[in-house]
Structure formats: C-alpha cells, structure tokens
Amino acid sequence: TIKKKSFTRVEAVAGFERETEKRNRKEKRNYQQMDKGQSSQSFSGGDGKPVKARILCLHGHNSCNEITEMQVFGLDLHKRAKCDFLHGPHSGKAGDGLSHFSNGPWYTWMDTSADAQDYLEGSLEYLANHIKKNGPYDGVYCFSQSCIVVTLFSDPKIWRDLFGLSDCPWKFVILACAGGPQLLEMSRRRLSGRGINMPTLHVKGATDQILNQSIGLEQYWEEQKRKTYTHKGGHAIDLSILRREPDLEKLLSSFLKENSPTYSNALL
C-alpha cells in the first residue's frame, strides 16, 4: 500500500509519468532486440552493453499496476532493471487510501473468504500461464499479498511438479511488507517442507500492522540466502523511501549486484 503523503495524487503521478517517459525513451533502443520469452542475460543492447535484468512486479491485495509502478519508482528499480507489471486475476476494490493515487481498476490475488484456496489456486495457474508466455525473469518484486503467491510458486513442487517447468522462472525475489503466511498452511501439503533455496530480500515496515506476518513468511526461505531490512514506516513503499533510508538503498544495490548478472551500479 502507498501511504498518503503531503503531495497530492496529481503531483505524485505527474512526477512519476515524467520520469517514466524519460526512462522509456532512453531504454527503448536497448530493449528492441529482446525477444519475448527470453531472459535478459542472453541479450546485448544496441550500444553493446548488457541489457538490464528483467524483474516481474506484482501488486498487493485490492491494488493495481499503477500502485506497483510507484513503489518501483520509489525503490529506483526502474533504473536498475526492466520491470514488467502483472495485475492479479481477480477483480477487487480500492484498498485503504489507494484511490488517492490511482483510479484503478483494482485487482487481487485471493479473497479472504471461505473460497480463499480456490482464489489462490487460480492465481498460481494465472501466473504460470503468464510465465510460459513471457518468462523467464531474472527476479521478482512482490508486495503484501502477492508475496504468498510468489513464495508458493518458488517452491519446486509448484513450478516443477505442478506446472511442468524445467527451471524456476526467476533467480531472486524481493518481498515487501509480506503478509498472509497462514494461507501457506492451507497449501503446505504442496510445499517441499524446507527453506526455498533462493536469494531473497525481505523489506518490512516497523509500524506495519502485519509485521509479524512478514517475519513469519521469512521462515519459508533459506536462512543463509535471505537479507532483511526494516524501514521506519508501515505497510507501504512510498516514492521517497530511499531518500529517507539510504541504508535500504545500499542494501538493495548490493543485493541486486550479487544476484543479477546484468546489474550495473550506475543508475541510468
């Protein structure tokens, strides 16, 4: 969720759109050689430099891609990677405060009703179909509820045994303000029962009401390969988070440099 700041929605979106337009013009030439369905590490741009890593970006419950784009903008991921955005498969409604920043439409990955398991199964299949058409990716950025979907999908019993993929479709995961580990218990029979062996960066909010859930979800990932950071805010990744918390910027840069073959320290 994006926390409402003193700036207006119009100011926030206008600034984002100006930066996005500038970035798109600069990157268009680099990406024109990238064929759909290929990993970015296999290509070079028109200037001979490696094409940046591809990161799949997923929003949270009752949100949309525009909100995720603002989070990505706040983390400068758009300068470090080619970010693809995928909204959830189920219709939703605006989450708390999100209508200040977007007009929707709104989506979710699962309902919290008695049909939550059916919603979750549908989301896994939806993600699998997207990956088969557009993947693989170098990494994934997920927020809140989508962290559950990504955690499940990252287990070999899902991507390999359930959907028949030969390899996990990403190499690292950034989980922001993750929630809902209790939903994993509903699908535990499908998990391998040990920590998922993949580099992860877990970004949590010190005042987030679901901080305990974020901590709980960490336990599903290999301890030796996970890094964590707790920012001073709540259930949010806002546009100015790196300016307020330079230590997060350093950790994020280090994490991407270690785990993305195409990463460059220089922000474009």
Side-chain angles (χ1 to χ4, degrees), residues 30-215:
N30 287 347
Y31 298 139
Q32 62 186 0
Q33 295 184 20
M34 183 177 290
D35 293 330
K36 204 172 188 180
Q38 298 281 349
S39 174
S40 62
Q41 30 184 145
S42 302
F43 294 87
S44 295
D47 54 6
K49 296 179 180 179
V51 174
K52 291 186 293 184
R54 296 179 69 214
I55 296 180
L56 178 62
C57 304
L58 310 178
H59 61 71
H61 178 53
N62 283 333
S63 189
C64 65
N65 286 343
E66 188 174 13
I67 299 299
T68 313
E69 288 170 358
M70 292 182 184
Q71 295 174 352
V72 164
F73 182 74
L75 292 171
D76 277 343
L77 287 177
H78 66 297
K79 296 180 180 180
R80 296 174 162 97
K82 181 182 185 297
C83 297
D84 292 343
F85 299 87
L86 179 67
H87 64 67
H90 311 295
S91 297
K93 57 184 179 181
D96 291 344
L98 294 188
S99 59
H100 294 293
F101 299 96
S102 175
N103 294 322
W106 309 99
Y107 300 93
T108 186
W109 298 94
M110 65 196 82
D111 199 326
T112 55
S113 67
D115 297 325
Q117 183 63 15
D118 291 337
Y119 274 78
L120 184 55
E121 293 292 323
S123 293
L124 290 171
E125 184 173 359
Y126 169 80
L127 181 57
N129 290 336
H130 173 83
I131 289 166
K132 289 175 180 178
K133 293 177 182 177
N134 302 283
Y137 291 90
D138 293 290
V140 182
Y141 167 82
C142 48
F143 182 83
S144 193
Q145 191 189 73
S146 63
C147 296
I148 299 299
V149 179
V150 171
T151 298
L152 274 171
F153 207 99
S154 298
D155 190 280
K157 291 205 169 206
I158 303 298
W159 60 259
R160 183 190 62 204
D161 299 346
L162 184 60
F163 294 113
L165 299 178
S166 57
D167 297 290
C168 185
W170 43 72
K171 301 175 183 66
F172 64 85
V173 181
I174 301 170
L175 304 96
C177 300
Q182 68 277 10
L183 293 171
L184 287 179
E185 298 300 324
M186 301 169 61
S187 297
R188 194 165 184 81
R189 60 182 176 81
R190 311 177 84 181
L191 296 177
S192 60
R194 57 183 180 272
I196 299 170
N197 187 26
M198 185 180 300
T200 53
L201 173 58
H202 302 259
V203 182
K204 300 164 287 188
T207 63
D208 191 350
Q209 293 182 346
I210 65 168
L211 174 58
N212 287 337
Q213 295 185 27
S214 298
I215 295 172

